Amino acid sequence: MKAYVKLMLPGFTGNMDDVVIYYNSHLNKYIARRKVIPKYTPSNDIIKDIFAFAKRIELSEGYLNDCREYIFQFNRKNRRQNRAMSTWPNVFMKVMRATMKSYPDLDLKTLTREEIIAKNLPCRSIYESINVGYLEKVHGYDKLDNVL
């Protein structure tokens, strides 16, 4: 919504009902726009915990390469459906969120690589994650078996 006012009180800015008026020095004019109330966004603590976990255990280069290969195959398969992933954190986040949903008693703040391997959790490799159903099957997924 663009509002044009011929005569504006100098220095007037602020809110009126559901309209915000302010002076934009780059455009050298007053602007009136609809007041937007931000919508509720849930807490991102789980995302911070997941990436702090990834940083703490230092993911292996083989696992990251498997994530990249999965992305390549996923994008190749779903190109026509306009579904795509771009970087390895997309895959890692999807796997870890599904793991947390399946095993709600896991604590990412104290979990270690050795515990993941000892408990035989599906997030230890992309191949296991696909077999359990955390990720969609792609061509050649049986080669993606590098461990965290």
Side-chain angles (χ1 to χ4, degrees):
M1 174 177 108
K2 290 185 180 180
Y4 297 99
V5 179
K6 288 187 177 182
L7 189 60
M8 179 69 75
L9 297 172
F12 177 76
T13 58
N15 301 326
M16 290 188 310
D17 297 327
D18 58 348
V19 176
V20 178
I21 300 173
Y22 60 95
Y23 179 75
N24 188 325
S25 61
H26 297 289
L27 300 175
N28 196 24
K29 63 181 175 181
Y30 280 91
I31 297 177
R33 63 174 176 80
R34 185 181 321 140
K35 184 177 184 177
V36 178
I37 299 172
K39 61 183 178 182
Y40 171 76
T41 56
S43 174
N44 66 344
D45 290 337
I46 185 72
I47 296 170
K48 288 195 290 187
D49 290 344
I50 287 172
F51 287 112
F53 168 70
K55 193 177 221 180
R56 192 179 74 242
I57 67 166
E58 297 176 5
L59 297 172
S60 70
E61 194 61 36
Y63 186 82
L64 295 179
N65 288 336
D66 283 354
C67 288
R68 292 179 186 115
E69 180 61 27
Y70 178 81
I71 289 168
F72 178 75
Q73 295 298 336
F74 180 85
N75 291 346
R76 176 190 259 178
K77 177 184 176 189
N78 296 305
R79 178 180 33 187
R80 294 179 194 259
Q81 288 85 17
N82 292 328
R83 294 174 52 211
M85 291 186 186
S86 56
T87 59
W88 69 263
N90 297 125
V91 177
F92 186 70
M93 174 69 70
K94 201 168 195 177
V95 168
M96 292 309 296
R97 289 202 59 138
T99 302
M100 294 302 295
K101 192 173 185 180
S102 299
Y103 301 93
D105 57 329
L106 284 180
D107 183 20
L108 288 178
K109 294 179 181 174
T110 59
L111 190 65
T112 63
R113 178 179 307 182
E114 291 76 25
E115 288 178 21
I116 289 175
I117 294 169
K119 291 182 180 180
N120 206 15
L121 295 177
C123 64
R124 67 188 164 151
S125 72
I126 301 298
Y127 174 74
E128 294 294 328
S129 299
I130 292 173
N131 282 340
V132 173
Y134 293 170
L135 296 171
E136 189 177 315
K137 287 187 178 181
V138 295
H139 178 72
Y141 76 93
D142 52 337
K143 299 174 189 157
L144 308 174
D145 58 355
N146 288 312
V147 180
L148 285 173

